[in-house]
């Protein structure tokens, strides 16, 4: 197997490359990544027979073709991924998430790459009420943030290449990930890092929003399963079916770090804030025999311990650009 991973210097892509290295030592992996603010090469292997890093933008057809030459599959993670940033400004989201996906699809088609995996999200389905059943693969798409809208647009493009060009594409849609190497802008790593250096933890609105947290390694094993055993044109929902309210998740972080609950600060809500996500993952469980291995409390404790032991990874990320973003995002709330 010769695999092109896009966005492999980000949180999930990096965990996926590490998993492939561990479980499929004969595979060769190319990582195409533009190295945006969210990326870091730390934690990735050195270049070798088994792994090569290509710095390049998925929107650049030449870079895409260079990286995709003679690959057997593409696993497409590269994206602008943070909802709050898409609310501040959505241009890069449309450009990378939609146009970038189109460039990759066209390149894969032209070069005859056999399989294309689109790594997508539960956010394309919109928001659930408290009593609604979880999202299924046939739930209509109803994205509510600019980020989610660009992921839904990309999913539809991917689907169209299957219908129109008979390409073997597969779409995975996963719930909220947590684990090692997550940039400290998302709720859990932000809470961990803030708790570790005594900074306030901002909770949007009443903190009663619900997310189905899944450990990144469980997500990556699911993607590997879809790559090896999934069917062309299919969508697979991935989730741990462990819904937790934001406030409860942050309290768990505070317990694990030994920090005080006084750090919690309720701030004004995210515009258009999705109240609840929940995934029905029965299709991938039944058809592909995948199931999550991490319970949220165990996975979170391990993740907190990882951040405690790896300050040398996250501390350098909190530089000027990060502080400027933090000020814009939280200063006036
Ligand atoms: P991330 O923001 O941590 O990493 C994104 C990576 O993509 C970075 O390394 C960045 O440099 C790269 N990138 C961005 N724009 C690029 C471009 N134009 N060209 C090349 N590389 C570019 O994101 P993540 O949390 O690892 O998410 C990865 C994928 O998984 C995304 O597609 C996201 O929508 C999806 N997803 C994320 C979650 C989650 O909870 N984080 C859940 C479900 C699905
Ligand atoms: O559901 C999958 C999605 O999960 C992925 O597609 C996205 O890439 C990923 O960013 C994530 O989106 P969310 O918006 O759910 O994640 P985030 O960590 O930003 O927020 C989680 C919840 O916590 C959400 O209800 C908003 C809330 N929140 C977030 C931040 C950053 C706060 O209350 N305070 C905060 O400071």
């Amino acid at each position: 197997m010769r695999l092109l991973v896009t966005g492999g210097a980000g949180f999930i892509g990096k965990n996926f490359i590490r998993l492939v290295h561990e479980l499929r030592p004969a595979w060769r992996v190319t990582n195409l990544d533009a190295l945006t603010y969210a990326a870091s090469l730390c934690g990735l292997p050195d270049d070798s027979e088994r792994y090569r890093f290509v710095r390049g933008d998925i929107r650049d057809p030449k870079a895409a073709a260079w990286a995709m030459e003679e690959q057997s599959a593409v696993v497409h993670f590269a994206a602008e991924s943070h909802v709050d940033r898409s609310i501040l400004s959505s241009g890069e989201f449309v450009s990378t998430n939609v146009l970038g996906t189109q460039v990759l699809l066209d390149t894969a088609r032209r070069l005859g790459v056999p399989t294309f995996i689109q790594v997508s999200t539960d956010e394309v389905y919109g928001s659930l009420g408290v009593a609604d059943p979880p999202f299924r693969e046939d739930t209509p798409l109803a994205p509510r943030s600019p980020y989610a809208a660009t992921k839904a647009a990309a999913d539809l493009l991917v689907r169209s290449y299957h219908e129109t060009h008979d390409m073997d594409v597969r779409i995975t849609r996963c719930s909220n990930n947590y684990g090692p190497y997550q940039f400290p802008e998302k709720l859990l790593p932000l809470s961990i890092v803030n708790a570790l250096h005594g900074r306030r933890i901002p909770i949007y609105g009443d903190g009663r929003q619900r997310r189905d947290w899944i450990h990144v390694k469980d997500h990556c094993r699911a993607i590997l399963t879809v790559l090896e055993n999934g069917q062309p044109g299919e969508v697979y929902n991935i989730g741990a079916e462990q819904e937790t309210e934001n406030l409860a998740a942050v309290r768990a972080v505070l317990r694990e770090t030994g920090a005080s609950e006084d750090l919690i600060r309720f701030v004004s809500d995210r515009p258009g804030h999705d109240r609840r996500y929940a995934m029905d993952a029965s299709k991938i469980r039944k058809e592909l025999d995948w199931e999550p291995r991490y319970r949220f409390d165990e996975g979170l404790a391990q993740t907190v311990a990882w951040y405690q032991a790896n300050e040398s990874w996250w501390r350098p990320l909190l530089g000027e650009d990060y502080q400027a973003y933090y000020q814009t995002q939280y200063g006036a709330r």
Side-chain angles (χ1 to χ4, degrees):
M1 173 70 89
R2 294 172 64 96
L3 204 59
L4 174 63
V5 170
T6 70
F11 165 48
I12 307 174
K14 176 180 301 179
N15 276 283
F16 181 74
I17 290 171
R18 290 167 64 91
L19 188 82
V20 166
H21 242 54
E22 185 191 325
L23 300 183
R24 301 290 181 269
W27 290 16
R28 294 180 177 205
V29 176
T30 297
N31 175 11
L32 174 65
D33 197 299
L35 298 185
T36 69
Y37 78 93
S40 130
L41 294 175
C42 180
L44 284 166
D46 292 331
D47 273 23
S48 69
E49 277 276 284
R50 293 170 57 197
Y51 172 79
R52 88 181 155 134
F53 174 67
V54 176
R55 183 170 187 175
D57 197 308
I58 59 166
R59 294 166 290 188
D60 172 2
K62 281 195 186 130
W66 167 256
M68 219 183 278
E69 199 76 52
E70 293 181 12
Q71 302 290 355
S72 1
V74 176
V75 183
H76 175 34
F77 293 92
E80 288 295 333
S81 70
H82 192 40
V83 172
D84 288 325
R85 289 186 191 253
S86 81
I87 294 168
L88 291 172
S89 171
S90 63
E92 280 293 294
F93 287 74
V94 174
S95 174
T96 283
N97 299 1
V98 186
L99 182 64
T101 302
Q102 175 257 316
V103 169
L104 292 174
L105 285 166
D106 277 345
T107 309
R109 180 170 168 245
R110 188 166 58 77
L111 296 180
V113 177
T115 303
F116 189 101
I117 310 282
Q118 159 77 352
V119 179
S120 189
T121 167
D122 58 0
E123 301 205 10
V124 298
Y125 297 121
S127 181
L128 291 168
V130 192
D132 289 337
F135 300 127
R136 292 161 39 100
E137 286 80 359
D138 57 5
T139 300
L141 303 192
R144 301 175 74 246
S145 73
Y147 160 71
T150 61
K151 292 297 290 187
D155 285 13
L156 293 178
L157 258 182
V158 169
R159 178 174 183 267
S160 78
Y161 276 63
H162 176 68
E163 301 294 343
T164 308
H165 301 301
D166 200 25
M167 273 175 66
D168 171 1
V169 302
R170 307 165 196 182
I171 298 174
T172 61
R173 295 193 179 127
C174 190
S175 57
N176 288 62
N177 284 219
Y178 67 94
Y181 299 109
Q182 188 170 27
F183 191 82
E185 63 185 352
K186 311 271 163 67
L187 179 66
L188 289 182
L190 180 127
S191 302
I192 295 169
V193 163
N194 282 14
L196 291 180
H197 66 281
R199 196 174 196 177
R200 292 275 186 90
I201 298 172
I203 303 268
Y204 298 160
D206 63 4
R208 306 284 309 272
Q209 304 83 5
R210 300 173 78 90
R211 296 291 184 267
D212 172 12
W213 298 99
I214 183 171
H215 195 281
V216 65
K217 280 192 186 160
D218 281 333
H219 181 194
C220 290
R221 273 194 313 101
I223 294 170
L224 189 59
T225 303
V226 170
L227 174 64
E228 293 185 315
N229 301 318
Q231 294 301 310
E234 291 297 314
V235 175
Y236 297 94
N237 281 355
I238 303 164
E241 295 165 352
Q242 305 182 71
E243 276 184 67
T244 308
E245 287 187 352
N246 291 344
L247 194 50
V250 169
R251 286 198 168 121
V253 167
L254 293 171
R255 273 196 306 279
E256 288 299 328
T257 53
S260 161
E261 292 218 355
D262 294 345
L263 288 182
I264 290 176
R265 184 166 62 109
F266 288 92
V267 300
S268 60
D269 210 348
R270 173 186 276 176
H273 197 170
D274 291 339
R275 192 71 183 164
R276 174 178 171 236
Y277 305 143
M279 281 304 231
D280 178 339
S282 53
K283 177 174 171 181
I284 189 172
R285 282 173 183 264
K286 281 188 202 134
E287 292 183 12
L288 304 186
D289 199 25
W290 168 90
E291 60 176 19
R293 293 181 183 162
Y294 284 86
R295 275 187 20 209
F296 182 56
D297 52 352
E298 292 164 355
L300 186 65
Q302 285 181 26
T303 303
V304 168
W306 186 88
Y307 277 81
Q308 280 169 325
N310 288 278
E311 185 165 345
S312 60
W313 177 77
W314 56 262
R315 178 71 69 181
L317 303 176
L318 313 184
E320 257 178 47
D321 287 354
Y322 181 85
Q323 299 309 334
Y325 164 74
Y326 205 94
Q327 183 56 31
T328 309
Q329 184 58 37
Y330 299 108
R333 281 185 126 116

